[in-house]
Amino acid sequence: MLFQIYGLQLDIPKEYKIILWKDSVFYEGTVEIHANVGNMIKMDWNDLTKILQKYPTPEDFFKENIERIKEDPDIIDPKLETYTWSGDSEHAYYFHKLSYRAVRKFPRKEISDYIMGLGVFCKNSNRFILLQYRPPEKSPDIGEKALEIIKSFKCRCEE
């Protein structure tokens, strides 16, 4: 099922819930796509002018957090994968998945975790669009479905 708001489009399963944050407008807002309890893909959009003041590229936006996670002494075996996105060439983007294992000190426990993210600069609409997914600790992971949904993102700024 195609879901579209303010020219931002995703293909999501019919049974998923969509929550639009109150006060979302064209230049700033948030949508949550819920598969089940805890499993959520979040799409945020913000004024690109504000983002460009600090981050010249979508990759620069993510780099800070990726490096912080990699440098954490409790993080083991960080692995960064990048993906291609089928948006048009007018949109700069960075699409990645950072996988790692983390050791918790109390109670002592090792967990596998990852964060998936797509950041898109749309100069036509002057927006930065961010899609993210992180699996919940106590619910089944929808990682492959989340990847498919995020890959389906289209910016319909020309229409």
Side-chain angles (χ1 to χ4, degrees):
M1 170 185 81
L2 290 180
F3 168 74
Q4 184 169 313
I5 185 166
Y6 299 126
L8 308 175
Q9 180 182 300
L10 291 169
D11 190 359
I12 62 172
K14 289 180 246 180
E15 62 274 7
Y16 283 24
K17 293 180 184 173
I18 298 167
I19 298 172
L20 174 63
W21 283 25
K22 184 180 175 186
D23 299 331
S24 291
V25 294
F26 183 84
Y27 284 110
E28 188 175 315
T30 300
V31 168
E32 295 177 358
I33 297 118
H34 292 263
N36 54 33
V37 176
N39 265 302
M40 173 187 62
I41 298 166
K42 190 172 179 186
M43 179 170 68
D44 297 294
W45 59 96
N46 290 287
D47 187 329
L48 182 57
T49 307
K50 293 177 186 175
I51 300 298
L52 285 171
Q53 291 171 5
K54 189 170 180 185
Y55 305 105
T57 69
E59 184 176 359
D60 291 326
F61 175 83
F62 288 110
K63 196 180 285 185
E64 202 173 289
N65 281 336
I66 290 170
E67 290 307 314
R68 188 172 31 248
I69 290 169
K70 285 180 169 181
E71 291 170 1
D72 185 323
D74 296 334
I75 300 297
I76 304 167
D77 300 329
K79 183 176 128 187
L80 182 65
E81 299 172 69
T82 57
Y83 302 106
T84 57
W85 173 63
S86 61
D88 67 55
S89 59
E90 298 284 313
H91 292 75
Y93 77 91
Y94 188 70
F95 190 9
H96 74 284
K97 177 181 178 182
L98 178 62
S99 307
Y100 55 90
R101 291 183 299 137
V103 177
R104 291 199 176 151
K105 296 195 180 358
F106 185 81
R108 179 101 175 123
K109 182 180 176 183
E110 187 175 302
I111 60 167
S112 293
D113 199 4
Y114 66 89
I115 301 169
M116 192 181 306
L118 169 65
V120 178
F121 282 6
C122 177
K123 293 191 176 174
N124 294 325
S125 67
N126 196 42
R127 293 182 293 181
F128 172 55
I129 303 100
L130 175 64
L131 291 102
Q132 296 186 96
Y133 173 72
R134 184 177 190 174
E137 221 177 292
K138 299 185 185 205
S139 292
D141 180 3
I142 62 159
E144 287 303 312
K145 191 59 166 175
L147 180 62
E148 184 182 314
I149 291 168
I150 293 171
K151 278 186 175 184
S152 80
F153 172 73
K154 299 227 180 325
C155 183
R156 300 289 184 196
C157 59
E158 295 294 326
E159 294 178 3

